[in-house]
Amino acid sequence: AWHGRLDNREDLARELGRSASGEDLDFVAAAFAKWRIGAFPKLRGDWSVTIWDARNRSLILAKDPMGTRPLFYAVTERSIRWSTSLEALVISSEAKLGLNLEYLAGWLTFFPAAHVTPYTAIAAVPPSSTVHVQERRVTVRKYWEFTPSSELTYRDDFAYEEHFRFAFTTSVRRRLRSDRPLLAELSGGVDSSSIVCVADALLKHEHGLTPRLDTFSYYDDEEPNWNERPYFALVEARRGGPSLHVRADSGQDLLALFGSPSELCSVPSELLRHSGYRAAFRNHFLSGNYAGVLSGIGGDEFTGGVPTPIPELADLFASARLRSLVHRLKDWSLSQRRPWMHVLFDAIRAFAPFWVVGTVPARRPPVWLDAWFRKRYRFALTG
């Protein structure tokens, strides 16, 4: 069973010695038949897959390296059940569903670990990993890992920029392959604006992509420091396409928490899906028969949208390029109007063991939490 999008069908076809036509599932099945577990690192795209191996009566669950597609499983003495829907496993659970305190610790502070759910009896398949179930034994293994030692080296900044533009455009193009319209979140920031503008250029010059791309924007005219209308309006004027605007009022979230939604909310964040602007987005998505949503969420963290000296200075410090470190430390100190010792310490603390430099104040667990809970789940509570 395949859930996702395969991006390198042509490459797989050449390695498998077959035609590039057919469904994604056909290529995945052929790749597994030839390479077994070694097939998973070869599958480029966003996906999760379930394989029942009848020869040795074993079940294999796997997810792509980034883990964007959900896949959950629950093992009991009598059965194993799995689904892309956490809600389905909760409703049909054979065991008592206790609260997973590790998930709670992560949810209270940063993010829960990728392999946990709110329920002790249900787990999630981690990114870039396989879950192998055979004779009641459950084995979790990673099949792919980042290689920080690999490095791109170009002669000038233009080459790096060109490489990024190519990778970014390829990423957007892959997600535009659809026979139904797509919806793009547009905030007017660098990330979502870049996605929409690149998508428009691709749709103008290439065939075989989505028939239409619409945008969806939030605004709040009463919040001048947050209101995004002036920014997404510039992008809308350039593209001239249809867009839906919804006023984002944080007070609606509080009202939604006191409501009684008819649907099960299997994770805490779903409690707010019936609030005003979230419900408007949901209804618009369903009524428009959209195949998916393009979103810039996470772009700042991935592309460095917020200027910070830490990655550069930490790299210079770790590689002992002290002369460059002194010059750049001075520049960043003047730019941020902070003592250079403070800037340097922040950079070192970013990668040094916490038992050497201590935990960043913002990452310390709240003192009102139970002492046993803080000690038992200190890693989840400190990110």
Side-chain angles (χ1 to χ4, degrees):
W2 169 262
H3 178 224
R5 188 194 73 252
L6 186 63
D7 293 329
N8 62 331
R9 183 185 300 183
E10 292 78 9
D11 297 335
L12 284 175
R14 283 192 295 271
E15 290 194 65
L16 292 169
R18 55 170 292 171
S19 168
S21 60
E23 299 293 329
D24 286 351
L25 183 60
D26 299 332
F27 288 89
V28 175
F32 182 78
K34 182 173 182 178
W35 298 301
R36 308 297 291 175
I37 302 298
F40 297 137
K42 297 176 180 286
L43 305 180
R44 302 283 186 267
D46 301 334
W47 53 268
S48 63
V49 65
T50 302
I51 299 173
W52 169 250
D53 192 341
R55 289 183 299 179
N56 53 19
R57 297 186 55 79
S58 65
L59 176 72
I60 298 173
L61 312 175
K63 288 172 69 173
D64 69 81
M66 297 296 103
T68 55
R69 300 277 176 161
L71 187 56
F72 308 95
Y73 64 97
V75 181
T76 68
E77 287 294 319
R78 297 189 301 165
S79 69
I80 174 171
R81 294 170 299 116
W82 65 94
S83 176
T84 57
S85 167
L86 178 60
E87 181 179 331
L89 291 184
V90 171
I91 293 174
S92 62
S93 174
E94 300 174 358
K96 182 179 179 180
L97 294 178
L99 176 62
N100 189 324
L101 295 183
E102 182 181 354
Y103 179 95
L104 176 62
W107 187 80
L108 283 173
T109 49
F110 298 92
F111 293 98
H115 66 282
V116 298
T117 74
Y119 312 97
T120 54
I122 303 175
V125 178
S128 63
S129 300
T130 63
V131 176
H132 190 204
V133 186
Q134 186 176 27
E135 296 179 355
R136 299 184 182 178
R137 293 199 310 270
V138 180
T139 308
V140 181
R141 291 193 181 97
K142 295 201 75 170
Y143 65 81
W144 181 89
E145 188 59 89
F146 279 108
T147 52
S149 58
S150 64
E151 191 172 298
L152 287 172
T153 304
Y154 294 127
R155 290 186 176 183
D156 52 40
D157 287 347
F158 175 79
Y160 288 104
E161 294 165 3
E162 193 62 27
H163 187 121
F164 175 82
R165 276 191 289 269
F166 174 78
F168 183 77
T169 303
T170 301
S171 179
V172 175
R173 180 188 291 110
R174 288 171 171 174
R175 285 155 179 80
L176 292 177
R177 295 205 319 260
S178 172
D179 56 0
R180 289 159 51 197
L182 291 171
L183 189 61
E185 293 180 337
L186 177 61
S187 68
V190 173
D191 308 314
S192 63
S193 300
S194 299
I195 292 171
V196 170
C197 291
V198 167
D200 284 344
L202 291 170
L203 293 176
K204 184 177 180 181
H205 297 101
E206 299 186 14
H207 301 287
L209 304 177
T210 179
R212 191 177 79 248
L213 179 70
D214 298 337
T215 61
F216 185 98
S217 303
Y218 301 113
Y219 73 93
D220 189 347
D221 293 331
E222 297 179 3
E223 284 287 346
N225 294 329
W226 184 87
N227 191 20
E228 296 177 332
R229 186 199 292 271
Y231 307 104
F232 64 68
L234 294 173
V235 181
E236 291 174 346
R238 178 180 177 86
R239 68 188 309 262
S243 180
L244 179 66
H245 301 167
V246 172
R247 183 172 180 267
D249 182 0
S250 58
Q252 296 170 342
D253 291 344
L254 298 176
L255 293 175
L257 288 174
F258 291 99
S260 54
S262 57
E263 303 173 51
L264 170 69
C265 297
S266 54
V267 294
S269 58
E270 290 183 356
L271 288 168
L272 299 176
R273 67 184 176 188
H274 294 278
S275 65
Y277 65 93
R278 288 179 174 84
F281 175 85
R282 195 166 176 235
N283 294 336
H284 181 69
F285 179 84
L286 295 174
S287 63
N289 192 33
Y290 293 105
V293 180
L294 304 184
S295 173
I297 291 178
D300 284 341
E301 291 80 358
F302 191 78
T303 58
V306 179
T308 172
I310 291 178
E312 179 187 12
L313 297 181
D315 183 53
L316 293 173
F317 182 86
S319 56
R321 287 179 280 173
L322 301 183
R323 180 175 300 222
S324 298
L325 174 64
V326 171
H327 287 295
R328 296 302 292 151
L329 188 59
K330 177 182 177 182
D331 293 338
W332 278 108
S333 179
L334 291 173
S335 172
Q336 295 193 334
R337 298 181 180 180
R338 296 175 59 205
W340 68 267
M341 281 293 294
H342 292 186
V343 179
L344 177 62
F345 185 67
D346 286 346
I348 296 174
R349 185 160 54 183
F351 68 89
F354 74 91
W355 49 267
V356 175
V357 294
T359 304
V360 179
R363 287 179 174 263
R364 291 172 187 162
V367 295
W368 47 264
L369 286 175
D370 179 82
W372 173 88
F373 183 79
R374 290 204 310 268
K375 182 178 180 181
R376 177 68 178 80
Y377 299 104
R378 64 187 183 279
F379 294 114
L381 290 168
T382 56

